[in-house]
Each structure stands twice: as structure tokens, then as C-alpha cells.
Amino acid sequence: MLAEFDLIHRYFTPHTPGQRVALGVGDDAALLTPVAGQQLVVSVDTSVVDVHFPAQAPARAIGHRALAVALSDLAAMGADARWCFMALTLDQSRLGDDATANAWLQAYAQGFLTLCEQHETALAGGDVTSGTLSIGVTVMGEVPSGEALTRSGATVGDIIAVTGALGGGGGGLALWQQGERDLSHPLLARYLLPTPRLAAGRALRGIASSALDISDGLLADLGHIREASGVGAALDTESLPLAEGLKEALGSEKALKAALSGGDDYELLVTLPPARWRQAQAALEPLGVALTAIGHCVEAPGVSGVPAEVKTGWQHFVEHVSSDTPSPSRRREKRHE
């Protein structure tokens, strides 16, 4: 296997530094050139083997997913992605001999850098070290001053809506645990190759009153908006847009649970005044992204309209052994059965 700096040079040094990168990979730190009148949006995300992705997932998918879930945080703020930094910890013994390790790295880098290109995001630096496989990704973006979407703007009467479809992440994980390995399967693709909704987030600037991305499950993430905005929520579970093939894979009851608390969907959860509903739909239509109303904000605290047996969602350091919905903790249990 290549030594640290040779590895960085071969796999993670772009041929060109990227837009507004005055000095990128190869020095002690990067020099970036922000645009005047823009606010800098920064987020950090960590992906750990057998917590956030299966150890046997394809390397290309691991690279794609590590960046996608981080970019999703920028999408939730309505930001344009600009730069990213990656800290890659590699378990050399798990990767095997030099040929296997180099093939894994090539596929991983392809997944990561292809997504960079798709969203005009420059890999401006990072770190490589040895240890248990994990990827720390810092993403940086820009948004016009005062226009960032946040969690705190929802008011009573606002429509609660989601982009795309829900439950695909949980459904894909369930299929993986059952032995499915074909990444062309729509549910498995939603789990291992999620799409960050950056264009949708930008389109909803000035329209949505609050927003975040659905990573830990609809109910858990809705709780963040409720807390930040001081509102309650009334949901209509019959209106939830379910991912393609979810009911067929899990059955109706578990499909609903996956949509409410499965997590790993990386769709946008937004609130908006009723008067802006048609404007929001029109803004997303050219992108081919559906926007579905699933409830509204109310004055009473908590969430109504949800079956009592549905768990809230995923949190680290909390046991989830009683949930029927697949979760990272269930994934770890599966490996040792």
C-alpha cells in the first residue's frame, strides 16, 4: 500500500485546484477566496464503518455517501457548495494486499470526486491516517447574506412539507441486511448513494420559513424544527410520499415506520406559509423534485397524527433495540448474529 503522501498525491490531489482555491491540497492549509456579500456556511460530518455504512459496501458508494451526507447539510441551509475537506482513516489490514488496497482507494476516490464534480465542490485539503475505517468530511458553502434557511422560522399555520420520497434509506438498509447487493435497486441506491438536494435548497431560499435535511428520521428531525421554532406539528401520515418499492419490500406497517423514523433519506423537510405553497412547487418543478405537504404547524406542543408505537428516530449513544425500523444499531447487531 502506498505511503501517506504518495496516497494523497495519487488519489486525492485534483489536477486543478478548483474554483476560488488559491492554494489547495499539498500545503499545511488551504487558501480560499470567498465572495463579498456572501455568508460562509460550514458543516462537519463523520461516517464510521458499521455505524453509518456496512463494512462490505462498495468503495465507490462509501466515497459518494461520505460526501453526499455532508453536502446535504448545505442543502438544508439553501447554500451553494464550494469547498470540502476530507479526513480519511484507513484500516490497512482490512483492505488486504497492495493491489486490493489500491483498487479500493481508486473506487473510493472515484465515488467521492465524481460527486465533487457534479456539485462544483473543490476538494481543498484533508488528512489520511491509519485506524478503524472512518471518513470525516467538512463542507463549506456560500449563501447571500441574510438568506440562509434555518430551523427557527416556522410559525403556527405553516405547511410542513418534504421533497422527494421517504423511507428509502431504511428500506435500503433492510434489503442490505437481507443480502441484496445490487446498487441499481432503487431502495439500495437511496441508502448507499443518496442525492443531496442542493438545487432544491437554493430554490427554496426566500420561500421556506424553516428547513433541515432528514438524516435521523422524519420525526426526530421535525423535533428540531419544533424546538427551534417553538411550534407543534399535526401530521397526516396518509400523505407521506413513500419511496418506490418500499411497501413491497417491507409491508405497509414497516414502510410507514421507515418513512417516519428510518432516517438516511437526506430529503429536505421544510415549512412554509400557505400563501407561498404554489410558489414553492413552481420553484422545484424545473428540477424534477416533488414537494409534498404532510401536515401543518400548530400551537400545541408535540406531534399529533402519528401511531404511538412508532419510535422517534436515531440518536447516537441511545439504545434502539426495540424498534422494528432498521437503524445503525440494528446493523451492528446483524453483523454478530
Side-chain angles (χ1 to χ4, degrees), residues 258-276:
L260 288 170
S261 59
D264 281 333
D265 280 325
Y266 302 102
E267 296 291 351
L268 298 183
L269 171 64
V270 302
T271 63
L272 57 156
R276 295 179 183 171

Side-chain angles (χ1 to χ4, degrees), residues 170-192:
L173 174 56
L175 289 183
W176 178 274
Q177 292 174 335
Q178 294 166 16
E180 178 63 64
R181 296 294 182 266
D182 183 2
L183 291 189
S184 68
H185 191 291
L187 292 180
L188 204 58
R190 282 181 172 272
Y191 169 52
L192 289 176

Side-chain angles (χ1 to χ4, degrees), residues 32-124:
L32 310 178
T33 309
V35 170
Q38 300 278 314
Q39 289 180 302
L40 196 60
V41 185
V42 183
S43 181
V44 180
D45 200 277
T46 302
S47 296
V48 179
V49 66
D50 285 327
V51 176
H52 300 94
F53 60 88
Q56 300 307 315
R60 177 178 65 88
I62 294 173
H64 172 105
R65 194 179 192 282
L67 178 58
V69 301
L71 288 176
S72 184
D73 288 329
L74 298 186
M77 304 290 287
D80 290 286
R82 297 298 185 212
W83 309 283
C84 68
F85 296 81
M86 178 192 64
L88 174 62
T89 302
L90 284 169
D91 185 344
Q92 185 173 352
S93 63
R94 191 185 71 83
L95 293 179
D97 58 26
D98 286 352
T100 302
N102 288 331
W104 190 96
L105 280 163
Q106 184 173 0
Y108 170 89
Q110 180 185 34
F112 193 98
L113 295 176
T114 297
L115 194 62
C116 280
E117 293 175 5
Q118 290 174 0
H119 294 286
E120 299 181 345
T121 304
L123 176 60

Side-chain angles (χ1 to χ4, degrees), residues 11-335:
Y11 297 108
F12 302 115
T13 302
H15 297 297
T16 58
Q19 294 183 352
R20 292 189 275 119
V21 179
L23 182 64
V25 177
D27 219 298
D28 289 301
L31 296 176
L32 310 178
T33 309
V35 170
Q38 300 278 314
Q39 289 180 302
L40 196 60
V41 185
V42 183
S43 181
V44 180
D45 200 277
T46 302
S47 296
V48 179
V49 66
D50 285 327
V51 176
H52 300 94
F53 60 88
Q56 300 307 315
R60 177 178 65 88
I62 294 173
H64 172 105
R65 194 179 192 282
L67 178 58
V69 301
L71 288 176
S72 184
D73 288 329
L74 298 186
M77 304 290 287
D80 290 286
R82 297 298 185 212
W83 309 283
C84 68
F85 296 81
M86 178 192 64
L88 174 62
T89 302
L90 284 169
D91 185 344
Q92 185 173 352
S93 63
R94 191 185 71 83
L95 293 179
D97 58 26
D98 286 352
T100 302
N102 288 331
W104 190 96
L105 280 163
Q106 184 173 0
Y108 170 89
Q110 180 185 34
F112 193 98
L113 295 176
T114 297
L115 194 62
C116 280
E117 293 175 5
Q118 290 174 0
H119 294 286
E120 299 181 345
T121 304
L123 176 60
D127 186 35
V128 174
T129 189
S130 61
T132 301
L133 178 60
S134 65
I135 309 108
V137 179
T138 298
V139 288
M140 306 176 73
E142 294 175 320
V143 64
S145 294
E147 294 187 19
L149 299 173
T150 69
R151 302 175 177 186
S152 60
T155 60
V156 172
D158 279 0
I159 294 171
I160 301 170
V162 294
T163 61
L166 302 177
L173 174 56
L175 289 183
W176 178 274
Q177 292 174 335
Q178 294 166 16
E180 178 63 64
R181 296 294 182 266
D182 183 2
L183 291 189
S184 68
H185 191 291
L187 292 180
L188 204 58
R190 282 181 172 272
Y191 169 52
L192 289 176
L193 298 169
T195 300
R197 295 295 192 185
L198 285 157
R202 292 193 299 268
L204 291 172
R205 286 195 313 232
I207 302 175
S209 55
S210 71
L212 51 60
D213 70 321
I214 302 174
S215 55
D216 298 324
L218 172 64
L219 292 180
D221 291 316
L222 178 58
H224 299 316
I225 287 181
R226 292 192 294 105
E227 181 178 359
S229 298
V231 297
L235 294 184
D236 175 12
T237 57
E238 294 293 326
S239 67
L240 293 179
L242 300 183
E244 178 186 355
L246 188 63
K247 283 188 176 181
E248 291 78 4
L250 301 185
S252 296
E253 183 178 346
K254 289 186 178 181
L256 176 60
K257 291 181 179 180
L260 288 170
S261 59
D264 281 333
D265 280 325
Y266 302 102
E267 296 291 351
L268 298 183
L269 171 64
V270 302
T271 63
L272 57 156
R276 295 179 183 171
W277 175 248
R278 293 191 181 278
Q279 181 185 3
Q281 288 184 307
L284 296 185
E285 185 176 1
L287 306 176
V289 177
L291 185 67
T292 305
I294 62 170
H296 59 280
C297 297
V298 297
E299 187 173 350
V303 180
S304 63
V306 177
E309 66 273 15
V310 176
K311 305 298 179 181
T312 299
W314 171 254
Q315 292 186 61
H316 289 279
F317 312 114
V318 176
E319 292 296 328
H320 294 260
V321 295
S322 62
S323 176
D324 290 327
T325 302
S327 69
S329 65
R330 296 293 291 174
R331 184 186 311 142
R332 290 196 296 273
E333 292 164 9
K334 198 72 174 180
R335 287 189 69 222

